[in-house]
Amino acid sequence: MAKPAQGAKYRGSIHDFPGFDPSQDAEALYTAMKGFGSDKEAILELITSRSNRQRQEICQSYKSLYGKDLIADLKYELTGKFERLIVGLMRPLAYCDAKEIKDAIAGIGTDEKCLIEILASRTNEQIHQLVAAYKDAYERDLEADIIGDTSGHFQKMLVVLLQGTREKDDVVSEDLVQQDVQDLYEAGELKWGTDEAQFIYILGNRSKQHLRLVFDEYLKTTGKPIEASIRGELSGDFEKLMLAVVKCIRSTPEYFAERLFKAMKGLGTRDNTLIRIMVSRSELDMLDIREIFRTKYEKSLYNMIKNDTSGDYKKALLKLCGGDDDAAGQFFPEAAQVAYQMWELSAVARVELKGTVRPVDNFNPDADAKALRKAMKGLGTDEDTIIDIITHRSNAQRQQIRQTFKSHFGRDLMADLKSEISGDLARLILGLMMPPAHYDAKQLKKAMEGAGTDEKTLIEILATRTNAEIRAICEAYKEDYHKSLEDALSSDTSGHFKRILISLATGNREEAGEDRDQAREDAQVAAEILEIADTPSGDKTSLETRFMTILCTRSYPHLRRVFQEFVKMTNYDVEHTIKKEMSGDVRDVFVAIVQSVKNKPLFFADKLYKSMKGAGTDEKTLTRIMVSRSEIDLLNIRREFVEKYDKSLHQAIEGDTSGDFLKALLAICGGED
């Protein structure tokens, strides 16, 4: 185990066992495995309570006392995932890594994700120890085996990382930072094709501290994070490797928190990944991983393991986790600083929003109108032509087609489309043909029609639209339904929920930047209304009004600062706290506002995922988001989707829809990530 730097705080979850006696432990393990059956509880309790250094001493004592190999005996007595975990703990970290890599490249096929995880995350010293352990254990050269099993730029970057020659975190010159930014920009964004060698050299050799400065400067210079450029310029396993390197440079614990979450989310568990990370990080940074896990995923790592695994395997993993964290949303004191820094990064990141549907070049509304008329004339309908034209034109171009269609044929294109297509496809195509504000107005009207109200749709639209979009929706609503949106909301909702929606529907959110002093005051109000302030003051009704005003009228940059100050003041995350302390529609609308402020494309990615997961598909939500975000930020939503759910939006749509509806959705989606 690598020792922490002088004066550094130990952040592992496993410690040296006090009063350690290797002979006594060896005897206890021998007894636990003697006779019929084995005492698995005793084995897991003992091994997960000792540090790796102590386990090596137990192995030596076991050999001296019984002339037997402890790991071989454990393999014989235990089975399955529990055996893999316990045996992994018994190996020194370098040998554990060596075994994982050997397994990853053995036989047919390669486990590229395992190679990426290990080689992108280890320090120079750990890499050197790994190379030596591989040579010792298998009498083979690790670099030669990697070269024999991989290819291309992916192989080149792995070989660079295998050298373990990353520069130390010394002070770096501003000139070199600027030069690296320029070199990366010219190698990717400014080049026809990509100069992968520059990416490999800079990301494979520069120090972590230097590269963090490069990433900050790259964002300022180009207006996009380095990750966006990597996704746009690189592909396949090479792209995944470079993204993993960037994540580990930004925060290795955050990289592992994300890997653990993905290992356990959804159906089935990726046990090899779960075991590898829990074993390898238990004496390095497990506490940091736990804190970031809770910050990002609204639940403790402990509880996710508890709900996703079983038996002795679960017990052993929970021991390595080192304890359950406090209620969801509350941070360790140290974690508040981590969360604060995460907000700082999100406030700095100015990601360019991009849609997937753009105006077509050489647009000819006359030709499009004629082609659509031909597709709908006579017996049968040519759905492919309708889909191809309408999904590949911008909304402004579609409006020109509508006018031209009326001029040429004296017919209403919308009415013709309604009579020729039906079901989900009709809902999608007709939605695309409407101006955005009129489309949103129609969705709001439908949400309030008939018995019952679709609160989720009201929240989704009103909590996420800009001032300009809200005002356009209000005008469209008045024009189409001869009633103000405010009156409609007043008659269809009630209480605090009504007040919040009406406030959002005025479109009067401030558009200035942040005010730090005001942000601290606003954070105090939030802490008091959510009942976690140290010194509550003021009457409840007044506080409720102020809290609503803060969330509904402050600018997004200001609210980011409020949420950051809230963490600093309370050690809680505002979103988690709202979920815990509030209920019903009021909770849901406030959570939607917070999520939209944090990361609007991620908010929509989550809604798209939920519309397609499980049995059945929520086609209305799927259609509404694909239509309304197609020219705004659907490309960003796609990136958030693949990042969080480990599969592309394209794949999710393909697996969950069919026929012409599927074709049209994929056309709007705009490509596979």
Side-chain angles (χ1 to χ4, degrees):
M1 183 190 98
K3 288 186 179 176
Q6 192 70 31
K9 193 170 180 183
Y10 179 71
R11 303 297 293 155
S13 55
I14 299 294
H15 302 259
D16 279 341
F17 187 74
F20 171 61
D21 182 336
S23 297
Q24 192 176 313
D25 284 351
E27 192 177 328
L29 287 171
Y30 183 76
T31 303
M33 293 187 282
K34 209 165 66 174
F36 288 111
S38 51
D39 185 350
K40 295 182 181 66
E41 186 86 32
I43 293 169
L44 84 83
E45 185 62 38
L46 192 149
I47 289 175
T48 58
S49 301
R50 307 297 186 267
S51 66
N52 193 278
R53 178 188 63 77
Q54 290 175 331
R55 292 182 209 121
Q56 304 319 307
E57 289 188 46
I58 296 169
C59 279
Q60 290 167 358
S61 291
Y62 194 89
K63 189 90 164 202
S64 301
L65 287 170
Y66 306 108
K68 297 168 72 126
D69 183 280
L70 176 53
I71 289 180
D73 279 5
L74 287 166
K75 278 185 179 176
Y76 181 78
E77 291 291 333
L78 309 177
T79 57
K81 296 172 285 195
F82 182 53
E83 178 218 318
R84 189 178 178 93
L85 176 61
I86 293 297
V87 168
L89 287 168
M90 293 308 301
R91 292 190 176 103
L93 177 60
Y95 284 82
C96 197
D97 280 351
K99 174 72 165 64
E100 290 293 320
I101 286 185
K102 185 75 168 65
D103 289 349
I105 57 179
I108 299 168
T110 306
D111 181 355
E112 289 86 2
K113 286 183 178 176
C114 173
L115 297 181
I116 290 168
E117 180 198 297
I118 292 174
L119 296 181
S121 66
R122 302 311 192 240
T123 64
N124 286 349
E125 184 185 355
Q126 287 166 343
I127 291 283
H128 297 152
Q129 290 169 352
L130 160 62
V131 171
Y134 192 90
K135 186 81 171 174
D136 180 49
Y138 306 111
E139 297 180 351
R140 297 178 64 87
D141 181 67
L142 178 52
E143 185 178 321
D145 281 1
I146 292 281
I147 289 170
D149 212 66
T150 58
S151 61
H153 299 298
F154 179 58
Q155 178 199 87
K156 288 174 191 168
M157 185 61 176
L158 289 176
V159 170
V160 167
L161 294 173
L162 265 177
Q163 306 315 300
T165 53
R166 188 175 295 287
E167 295 164 352
K168 290 190 170 72
D169 279 341
D170 295 320
V171 177
V172 291
S173 72
E174 195 63 32
D175 291 344
L176 189 55
V177 169
Q178 293 292 346
Q179 185 61 54
D180 282 348
V181 168
Q182 194 59 35
D183 288 348
L184 286 170
Y185 190 45
E186 288 174 1
E189 300 285 340
L190 294 183
K191 191 178 176 68
W192 182 261
T194 308
D195 180 1
E196 290 87 356
Q198 279 287 19
F199 279 87
I200 289 170
Y201 176 72
I202 293 170
L203 292 181
N205 290 286
R206 297 284 192 246
S207 75
K208 284 191 169 188
Q209 185 54 37
H210 174 87
L211 284 170
R212 287 183 196 117
L213 295 174
V214 169
F215 299 161
D216 290 346
E217 201 55 42
Y218 190 91
L219 180 63
K220 288 180 199 165
T221 303
T222 68
K224 62 166 69 174
I226 188 71
E227 291 91 336
S229 291
I230 288 171
R231 286 194 185 96
E233 299 299 324
L234 311 180
S235 62
D237 292 322
F238 181 48
E239 176 197 342
K240 289 172 190 163
L241 174 58
M242 298 307 258
L243 287 172
V245 169
V246 170
K247 283 176 185 172
C248 287
I249 284 158
R250 289 198 188 279
S251 168
T252 304
E254 186 170 351
Y255 170 71
F256 282 114
E258 185 182 304
R259 291 278 295 154
L260 284 168
F261 180 75
K262 287 179 176 176
M264 291 182 281
K265 75 178 175 68
L267 291 172
T269 305
R270 296 172 193 175
D271 294 291
N272 287 357
T273 301
L274 179 55
I275 291 166
R276 186 170 57 244
I277 296 172
M278 295 302 289
V279 168
S280 65
R281 310 314 293 186
S282 59
E283 293 182 53
L284 296 174
D285 51 8
M286 186 55 69
L287 296 185
D288 295 321
I289 292 167
R290 269 170 47 183
E291 289 170 0
I292 291 172
F293 193 98
R294 188 175 52 185
T295 303
K296 286 189 74 159
Y297 302 117
E298 308 176 20
K299 62 184 83 179
S300 68
L301 175 59
Y302 187 97
N303 271 315
M304 195 153 185
I305 291 170
K306 194 172 170 182
N307 294 331
D308 214 66
T309 58
S310 61
D312 294 315
Y313 174 53
K314 173 170 81 174
K315 289 176 190 170
L317 286 170
L318 292 178
K319 288 275 288 182
L320 295 181
C321 185
D324 193 4
D325 304 330
D326 300 328
Q330 183 182 351
F331 306 122
F332 294 109
E334 295 94 338
Q337 191 57 34
V338 174
Y340 190 90
Q341 287 162 356
M342 285 169 73
W343 276 114
E344 198 71 38
L345 281 172
S346 76
V348 170
R350 291 282 176 270
V351 180
E352 185 185 356
L353 298 179
K354 284 186 179 177
T356 53
V357 175
R358 301 174 186 84
V360 72
D361 295 332
N362 305 315
F363 173 56
N364 185 337
D366 190 64
D368 284 347
K370 286 175 181 172
L372 286 169
R373 176 71 181 133
K374 185 181 176 185
M376 294 186 284
K377 216 164 88 173
L379 289 173
T381 306
D382 180 358
E383 285 90 354
D384 285 345
T385 296
I386 295 171
I387 291 167
D388 186 54
I389 292 173
I390 291 175
T391 60
H392 291 98
R393 306 294 182 269
S394 68
N395 194 277
Q397 290 175 333
R398 292 181 208 122
Q399 303 318 309
Q400 288 184 57
I401 296 170
R402 280 179 75 173
Q403 291 168 352
T404 305
F405 196 90
K406 189 91 167 198
S407 301
H408 271 306
F409 308 112
R411 300 172 68 90
D412 182 338
L413 176 55
M414 294 285 278
D416 279 8
L417 286 167
K418 268 185 193 173
S419 69
E420 293 294 328
I421 55 178
S422 61
D424 294 325
L425 178 65
R427 193 183 291 119
L428 180 64
I429 294 296
L430 292 169
L432 289 168
M433 290 305 303
M434 294 178 75
H438 289 266
Y439 179 71
D440 276 348
K442 185 176 181 183
Q443 299 305 304
L444 291 168
K445 180 76 164 64
K446 280 179 169 290
M448 294 183 279
E449 268 176 356
T453 305
D454 178 358
E455 291 86 1
K456 286 183 179 176
T457 298
L458 299 181
I459 291 168
E460 178 200 304
I461 294 173
L462 295 175
T464 61
R465 301 309 192 247
T466 64
N467 285 343
E469 288 166 342
I470 290 282
R471 288 166 194 159
I473 291 167
C474 287
E475 285 177 26
Y477 199 96
K478 185 83 172 172
E479 183 185 330
D480 294 345
Y481 307 112
H482 312 294
K483 182 179 185 178
S484 75
L485 177 58
E486 184 178 328
D487 286 347
L489 290 167
S490 285
S491 58
D492 207 67
T493 58
S494 61
H496 288 308
F497 184 54
K498 176 174 84 174
R499 289 175 61 210
I500 295 162
L501 291 182
I502 289 173
S503 178
L504 292 171
T506 59
N508 283 326
R509 189 176 289 286
E510 295 162 1
E511 295 185 351
E514 64 181 63
D515 177 335
R516 290 205 175 206
D517 291 336
Q518 183 64 57
R520 280 188 282 273
E521 284 182 37
D522 290 346
Q524 179 64 33
V525 170
E528 290 181 27
I529 196 68
L530 295 170
E531 298 182 348
I532 53 173
D534 290 334
T535 53
S537 61
D539 75 282
K540 184 91 170 174
T541 307
S542 164
L543 282 170
E544 283 172 352
T545 302
R546 286 175 68 193
F547 186 60
M548 185 190 83
T549 302
I550 290 163
L551 286 184
C552 295
T553 67
R554 301 284 196 254
S555 71
Y556 272 29
H558 180 82
L559 282 173
R560 286 191 190 101
R561 178 62 65 182
V562 172
F563 301 159
Q564 191 177 353
E565 292 298 332
F566 184 89
V567 168
K568 192 176 180 182
M569 189 180 289
T570 67
N571 280 5
Y572 282 81
D573 173 74
V574 71
E575 180 187 339
H576 301 166
T577 311
I578 289 169
K579 285 177 178 174
K580 184 183 172 191
E581 298 296 332
M582 296 186 163
S583 61
D585 297 327
V586 171
R587 175 199 61 203
D588 293 345
V589 70
F590 281 155
V591 166
I593 293 168
V594 173
Q595 289 177 340
S596 185
V597 170
K598 281 181 173 181
N599 184 335
K600 198 180 287 185
L602 179 59
F603 169 80
F604 284 114
D606 284 340
K607 288 197 75 68
L608 283 171
Y609 178 76
K610 285 170 185 169
S611 76
M612 292 182 279
K613 76 167 188 160
T617 305
D618 178 358
E619 289 88 0
K620 288 182 181 176
T621 298
L622 176 57
T623 299
R624 187 173 59 248
I625 295 173
M626 295 296 286
V627 169
S628 64
R629 309 314 294 182
S630 59
E631 291 183 57
I632 300 172
D633 55 3
L634 190 52
L635 190 62
N636 307 80
I637 291 167
R638 264 172 46 186
R639 287 170 179 163
E640 295 292 349
F641 194 100
V642 74
E643 183 71 20
K644 181 163 181 182
Y645 297 109
D646 233 14
K647 70 172 170 180
S648 67
L649 178 58
H650 187 283
Q651 286 172 321
I653 290 168
E654 212 167 30
D656 216 66
T657 59
S658 60
D660 292 321
F661 183 48
L662 165 65
K663 286 181 196 170
L665 285 171
L666 291 182
I668 299 168
C669 184
E672 168 71 287
D673 294 303

